[in-house]
Amino acid sequence: MTVIVPAGDPRSGAPDQTRGPGSVRGSDYAVLSRQVKRAGLLARRPGYYWVKAATNLLFLAAGWTAFVLVGPSWWQLAVAAFLAAAFTQTAFLGHDAGHQQISGSKRVNVLLGRLHGNLLVGLGYGWWVAKHNRHHAHPNQIDRDPDIATGAIAFTRDNAQARGAFGVWLARRQAWLFFPMLLLEGLHLHVASARALLGHGATSRANTPGTTRLVEGGLLLVHAAGYLTILLWVLAPAQAVGFLLLQQGLFGLYLGCSFAPNHKGMPIFGRDHGSDFLRRQVLTARNIRGGRITDFALGGLNYQIEHHLFPSMPRPNLRRAQALVREFCARNDIAYRETTLTGSYAEVLRHLHAVGGPLRPELEY
């Protein structure tokens, strides 16, 4: 079960004041960072990304070509599943662009992020980057990490107990409902992207330049218009609705299943917790074991610890960085969490079940 780690706990990562001023551990990250730079692991990999982007575009083109060729048939549900996977892989490239992993030019990364996010998938790049950067700065930190903020899922008991009647009902059953609810994640991301551009939520009109809103909003409109037009042009209305629900549902499920193992069920820190950067990133993250297939399926997010320590590190370098980071953590007595994909889901569900425990009167806590 995940607990809120107090500052005095050895797991907190806060400097041990009993060792004297010379033993403050805030410089550990600088030591690790120098090792990573000497190994060349922060160098851009443009060849990898251009091949990756071109291959992904071929997958998208193949999916939409098959869609047109199959025509008005319920076999289109198979095409919907394929395109859900292609959309997720496209979103992974948008994620990498948002972290400046692809190019040394911020302008190029922003362009690629908007094309992969807004145009090809229909997700607001600027909104997502602002939200995701806050998560990276304060992972699993109450009132600072938007990924554990109040929402459909409660990640702390205080959050669960502060809800209204429906929220309490949901929190009691959230471990059972977690994966089914991910089917709505795609819809949620589309709505949140539009709301941000219209001035609602964390990213408001006042904080977003007019040109950015115009460009990103225009790309979102082109995506939505093109997506709906081709569905209604090729399919009967009932088939179009079925395709949309399945494709967007599986897209949200795949994306959610890729992000869920990363931090859910790991230690949660209080708002004013005083841990150093290295320990804050390592202790709140979880890696997933696996080979090249896992790397592809999870878009490199299976190396979550390395990614959080070095967000701009290109995806193909994360595997090489893992041994170095894991060895460094072992030498410095920093807990480094790694498990299987199914094991991570089990940890997530156990945590969600425990959070809702006090709201289930039939159980004693």
Side-chain angles (χ1 to χ4, degrees), residues 23-89:
S23 65
V24 173
R25 308 293 289 278
S27 62
D28 284 348
Y29 179 74
V31 174
L32 176 60
S33 183
R34 285 193 292 270
Q35 294 179 14
V36 167
K37 290 178 181 177
R38 282 198 299 267
L41 296 175
L42 294 180
R44 297 295 186 271
R45 299 283 297 273
Y48 167 87
Y49 276 111
W50 291 124
V51 170
K52 188 77 173 173
T55 303
N56 200 70
L57 285 174
L58 287 176
F59 283 143
L60 286 170
W64 287 118
T65 300
F67 177 85
V68 173
L69 294 176
V70 171
S73 166
W74 287 106
W75 285 105
Q76 290 284 12
L77 297 183
V79 179
F82 177 84
L83 282 172
F87 269 40
T88 306
Q89 288 293 323

Side-chain angles (χ1 to χ4, degrees), residues 41-45 48-49 96 101-102 310-318:
L41 296 175
L42 294 180
R44 297 295 186 271
R45 299 283 297 273
Y48 167 87
Y49 276 111
D96 291 2
Q101 294 177 16
I102 299 177
F310 304 98
S312 65
M313 181 181 290
R315 190 194 308 182
N317 291 352
L318 293 170

Side-chain angles (χ1 to χ4, degrees), residues 200-212:
H200 304 290
T203 305
S204 67
R205 292 172 63 92
N207 296 326
T208 306
T211 303
T212 298

Side-chain angles (χ1 to χ4, degrees), residues 119-140:
L119 181 62
L120 295 178
V121 180
L123 303 183
Y125 172 78
W127 160 77
W128 178 83
V129 167
K131 172 180 176 291
H132 197 60
N133 284 346
R134 296 198 305 276
H135 158 70
H136 266 262
H138 303 283
N140 274 18

